[in-house]
């Protein structure tokens, strides 16, 4: 077991520098020692952690805004299918009625759900 590291001066037998590596009696991590930090000042990881604790909602808010933007895009895509495609098919009489019913019976509930979901997300973000 290493308890200390001794560097000897090339000119004599007296130790020029000694570092104690035994941390059993210290109770703190050797990574928090002044030897490993920059001149006894706060460490960079501690600064980052303090920023995260001080501004915890910033990251969550931006994630929620990204979800909102994605939901808006998705709803527009569903609208293209349910509104514009359906009206074009009906106008051109390009598909039998039974096939139209089968096709849109699955898409309409999804579209309606996401319309309500988008409104709820917008309301919650407006209160953030």
């Amino acid at each position: 077991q290493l308890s200390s590291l001794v560097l000897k001066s090339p000119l004599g037998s007296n130790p020029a520098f000694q570092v104690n590596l035994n941390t059993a009696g210290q109770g703190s991590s050797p990574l928090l020692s002044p030897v490993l930090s920059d001149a006894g000042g706060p460490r960079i990881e501690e600064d980052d952690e303090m920023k995260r604790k001080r501004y915890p909602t910033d990251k969550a808010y931006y994630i929620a805004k990204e979800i909102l933007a994605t939901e808006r895009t998705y709803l527009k895509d569903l609208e293209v299918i349910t509104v514009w495609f359906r009206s074009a098919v009906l106008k051109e009489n390009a598909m039998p009625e039974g096939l139209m019913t089968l096709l849109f019976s699955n898409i309409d509930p999804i579209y309606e759900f996401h319309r309500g979901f988008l409104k709820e997300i917008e309301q919650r973000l407006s209160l953030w």
Side-chain angles (χ1 to χ4, degrees):
Q1 176 182 356
L2 291 175
S3 61
S4 66
L5 173 66
V6 177
L7 298 176
K8 294 187 177 182
S9 170
L11 300 176
S13 62
N14 292 335
F17 184 70
Q18 183 173 353
V19 177
N20 187 3
L21 297 177
N22 187 3
T23 59
Q26 291 181 356
S28 67
S29 169
L31 297 176
L32 299 177
S33 72
V35 173
L36 297 176
S37 68
D38 40 321
R43 296 173 46 112
I44 294 172
E45 293 107 18
E46 291 171 355
D47 289 343
D48 291 342
E49 186 176 340
M50 287 175 57
K51 286 178 186 176
R52 278 186 294 232
K53 286 180 181 178
R54 192 176 313 144
Y55 305 109
T57 58
D58 287 350
K59 190 173 184 180
Y61 180 74
Y62 289 115
I63 291 170
K65 284 192 66 129
E66 181 65 30
I67 290 171
L68 175 65
T70 303
E71 189 64 27
R72 283 183 179 149
T73 303
Y74 182 62
L75 190 62
K76 286 180 184 179
D77 292 343
L78 285 173
E79 185 179 335
V80 167
I81 295 170
T82 58
V83 176
W84 300 104
F85 178 71
R86 179 186 291 170
S87 66
V89 170
L90 285 173
K91 184 178 179 181
E92 298 292 323
N93 200 14
M95 192 180 296
E97 186 66 32
L99 185 57
M100 287 269 300
T101 304
L102 180 65
L103 177 66
F104 289 104
S105 66
N106 292 327
I107 295 175
D108 285 337
I110 295 170
Y111 177 68
E112 291 303 318
F113 169 79
H114 283 280
R115 280 182 52 194
F117 184 59
L118 178 62
K119 286 179 184 176
E120 188 174 328
I121 293 173
E122 288 172 336
Q123 288 173 352
R124 288 179 184 227
L125 273 176
S126 70
L127 298 174
W128 196 306

